[in-house]
Amino acid sequence: MSSQTLTIETETAGSLAQEVAARSGQNLNACYQCRRCAAGCPVGDDTGVTPDRLIRMVLLGDREAALNNLLVWQCVACYTCGTRCPNNIHTARITETLKQMVKEQHLEPMTPKVAYFHNAFLTSTSHFGRLNEMEFMGIYEIKNAQNELKKGGGIKAIIVELKNQMQLGKEMMKLKRMHFSIDKIKGLAEIKRLFAKAKK
Amino acid sequence: MEIAYYPGCSLHASSALYDKQCRDVLGRLGADLKEIKDWNCCGATSAAKTNDFLAIAMPARNLGIADASGYAEMVIPCASCYSRTVLAQKALESDPDLREKINAELSEKIQGKIKLLSILDLLVEKAKSGEIGAKATKKLEGLRPACYYGCLQTRYPADIQITDNVENPQGMEMVCEALGAQAIDWGYKTDCCGASASVNDSDVAIRLMSNIQKDALARGANCFVTTCPMCQMNMDAYQGKAAAKYGIGQSLPVYFITELIGVSMDIGTAELQLDRHFIEATELLRGLKLL
């Protein structure tokens, strides 16, 4: 983990902390940096930033760091940090909030594939009311391929990705775990209205 | 006893075998599953990571349908669906404005009546009452499952009381004991297998799974057993990759808890759809003369 010094942004500290606390429902001020969360975080080694560190970034008002770090995107939502926190702070809720803020502010997600994955899931759900696994994967792979192309020279990465998916798909088909029927609910209009309300 | 049933998307698609097993096995244990009508996706982890309102509103519609069904209880086998639905019910209970806002769009209004059960709640009850022991008569001698709970069976990002131990749950072990299987004691039963990252962050997912695999093998397990279709699919489809990358000698079959009960009840391979596993799942059972 880096030993970079965190500095307090006095202008913005209060407002960022308040916004994140209100939206996530978590009392960030209760964190006394015991780092039980860090000890249990399964992705801490990958992200460098652990839950305690993320809370600190928010409290210090470092909006840039809080929205642009790997923990926000690579958090697997296992809820270990929150379950073990002596002060009941669920940092997974905070990463959810920060992800939503990145989306609302039209910022580039640090790990785009994670964002595409969850967006594709909800897009497919909004079409049928239930998840269509094939459409979900299709939307995800198209979005992913578009991004690789945009980055330039990503053809190889696209081929590797699609090959992996096709291998899984072939195996699923063989095992009768792939389903081709369209499962569309009758009350889809209600789902559409809820999605519309969510945008407001 | 008739009980409302929410299968969720996975049990209608890639884990349809789990849906069939739940109906068969729970039916034989006296719980007649009545699928609620016209249910929708619970939103899963994706809604929680994308939009707080949808994360509540999507399971809320199902709660309204379940409340109107007339049944007192609803069982939800998928750990992810169960978790999201319980969280939604809790949030709606404490936020009348939100309930009002969502109810305005629903034909079946949320009443907050239905009692939600995970499949393990139901099975533990049936193990304690002796019903599993009485109906599942073929003892699973020689089977040493690593009971794998994953994240969502015991942990919630809110104040939800669970009856089992959060860090070292025992519910599945209790069911295994009733079946005569010798569940092993191990350290990774509630660690994340990386299911939600298997497609979009596969290096992380594979590493998480390798830890689980290594510990289960080191403790002498000869299979995994789980209640979660996300975990089952992930560990079944990708254990081979983790084994190759981390030099692990063996991949273990990953059974749904309903499969072990089904085998013990002498329900056949074809009926249980045991042939739909990525990692061959009948050989071990045949070797132990359980099939």
Side-chain angles (χ1 to χ4, degrees):
Chain A
M1 206 180 120
S2 76
S3 57
Q4 147 213 5
T5 319
L6 297 173
T7 46
I8 185 156
E9 307 289 334
T10 41
E11 296 283 304
T12 52
S15 70
L16 180 66
Q18 267 170 23
E19 181 181 357
V20 173
R23 293 185 57 164
S24 66
Q26 306 304 309
N27 180 10
L28 281 71
N29 289 314
C31 174
Y32 46 52
Q33 302 284 308
C34 72
R35 310 197 74 230
R36 257 186 107 180
C37 54
C41 179
V43 298
D45 286 344
D46 303 273
T47 58
V49 176
T50 44
D52 58 301
R53 194 88 179 164
L54 181 65
I55 291 175
R56 213 64 184 156
M57 287 170 179
V58 175
L59 288 174
L60 294 177
D62 193 343
R63 188 174 284 268
E64 171 69 23
L67 295 176
N68 275 295
N69 66 79
L70 287 173
L71 182 62
V72 166
W73 296 98
Q74 292 191 295
C75 167
V76 284
C78 71
Y79 305 133
T80 305
C81 53
T83 310
R84 292 183 184 169
C85 175
N87 294 324
N88 222 7
I89 306 167
H90 283 280
T91 309
R93 285 288 296 124
I94 297 170
T95 64
E96 285 167 3
T97 297
L98 292 168
K99 258 192 284 286
Q100 293 175 23
M101 285 167 66
V102 167
K103 189 176 181 183
E104 288 156 12
Q105 293 168 29
H106 305 289
L107 301 171
E108 193 61 34
M110 216 169 161
T111 314
K113 288 175 91 170
V114 174
Y116 300 156
F117 182 86
H118 298 297
N119 290 340
F121 184 104
L122 286 185
T123 304
S124 173
T125 301
S126 74
H127 290 162
F128 304 106
R130 292 180 187 171
L131 180 71
N132 183 302
E133 289 174 350
M134 285 175 71
E135 190 202 28
F136 165 34
M137 279 298 116
I139 297 171
Y140 167 74
E141 292 301 348
I142 289 169
K143 194 72 195 151
N144 199 31
Q146 281 172 340
N147 184 53
E148 290 291 349
L149 288 175
K150 205 173 74 189
K151 282 197 311 198
I155 298 281
K156 211 169 158 190
I158 297 174
I159 292 173
V160 171
E161 170 79 26
L162 291 181
K163 242 183 165 163
N164 279 339
Q165 284 303 328
M166 273 160 73
Q167 196 189 340
L168 177 70
K170 236 166 73 183
E171 211 159 344
M172 284 177 72
M173 213 129 82
K174 206 171 74 194
L175 295 169
K176 300 196 179 98
R177 291 186 78 154
M178 187 91 105
H179 284 251
F180 297 95
S181 59
I182 301 274
D183 216 358
K184 190 173 172 175
I185 67 166
K186 291 193 197 93
L188 188 57
E190 289 180 27
I191 295 291
K192 299 243 184 223
R193 288 202 299 270
L194 291 172
F195 269 76
K197 242 180 192 173
K199 276 195 183 143
K200 279 180 199 159
Chain B
M1 168 193 80
E2 289 188 340
I3 183 167
Y5 170 54
Y6 176 81
C9 306
S10 169
L11 275 70
H12 264 222
S14 51
S15 292
L17 67 164
Y18 193 27
D19 172 60
K20 186 166 187 309
Q21 293 159 10
C22 284
R23 292 172 195 270
D24 284 0
V25 167
L26 292 174
R28 288 174 195 229
L29 290 171
D32 189 5
L33 303 192
K34 298 290 179 192
E35 182 169 338
I36 58 167
K37 63 180 175 65
D38 208 41
W39 53 267
N40 57 268
C41 168
C42 73
T45 308
S46 294
K49 288 188 176 184
T50 314
N51 187 289
D52 286 334
F53 176 75
L54 281 180
I56 309 285
M58 291 172 75
R61 179 174 175 276
N62 298 321
L63 284 167
I65 295 169
D67 281 334
S69 71
Y71 297 108
E73 297 176 326
M74 178 160 77
V75 62
I76 308 180
C78 170
S80 183
C81 300
Y82 177 73
S83 169
R84 295 320 316 177
T85 311
V86 165
L87 287 166
Q89 194 176 45
K90 175 98 182 170
L92 292 162
E93 202 180 271
S94 59
D95 191 342
D97 291 342
L98 182 62
R99 193 167 61 222
E100 200 52 47
K101 192 174 163 189
I102 295 170
N103 263 342
E105 308 303 336
L106 302 181
S107 51
E108 311 275 22
K109 314 287 181 203
I110 311 145
Q111 303 164 37
K113 287 192 309 198
I114 195 92
K115 185 179 177 214
L116 301 171
L117 300 176
S118 74
I119 185 162
L120 211 47
D121 292 333
L122 201 58
L123 290 175
V124 165
E125 200 181 291
K126 303 268 178 203
K128 280 184 181 159
S129 69
E131 283 166 277
I132 290 183
K135 295 270 170 57
T137 46
K138 190 198 283 180
K139 294 303 163 206
L140 305 183
E141 202 60 51
L143 203 66
R144 298 186 307 277
C147 296
Y148 180 65
Y149 295 79
C151 304
L152 302 175
Q153 190 78 57
T154 59
R155 288 189 298 269
Y156 300 87
D159 188 20
I160 306 279
Q161 294 301 316
I162 73 156
T163 45
D164 216 332
N165 186 304
V166 175
E167 297 283 355
N168 186 14
Q170 295 296 326
M172 258 193 276
E173 279 83 350
M174 206 182 285
V175 174
C176 283
E177 199 185 331
L179 301 174
Q182 294 81 47
I184 59 143
D185 188 22
W186 67 311
Y188 280 79
K189 59 167 76 170
T190 58
D191 276 53
C192 177
C193 72
S196 73
S198 65
V199 171
N200 57 55
D201 197 1
S202 68
D203 287 347
V204 165
I206 295 286
R207 185 177 62 71
L208 295 179
M209 184 150 45
S210 72
N211 295 334
I212 293 168
Q213 241 174 308
K214 281 189 268 188
D215 192 47
L217 284 166
R219 310 265 189 150
N222 55 11
C223 63
F224 288 104
V225 60
T226 186
T227 54
C228 174
M230 304 294 122
C231 300
Q232 199 283 336
M233 183 75 180
N234 183 42
M235 293 169 72
D236 200 6
Y238 295 115
Q239 239 185 107
K241 274 195 175 166
K245 185 169 176 184
Y246 290 91
I248 302 166
Q250 198 188 347
S251 295
L252 297 174
V254 188
Y255 297 107
F256 285 114
I257 187 97
T258 41
E259 289 176 325
L260 297 193
I261 305 173
V263 168
S264 179
M265 286 174 164
D266 237 339
I267 305 176
T269 306
E271 214 179 324
L272 281 173
Q273 302 186 344
L274 273 171
D275 51 352
R276 297 190 179 187
H277 282 238
F278 291 79
I279 299 166
E280 215 292 321
T282 59
E283 205 178 305
L284 171 68
L285 298 169
R286 278 202 311 269
L288 295 170
K289 307 215 173 351
L290 299 172
L291 278 182

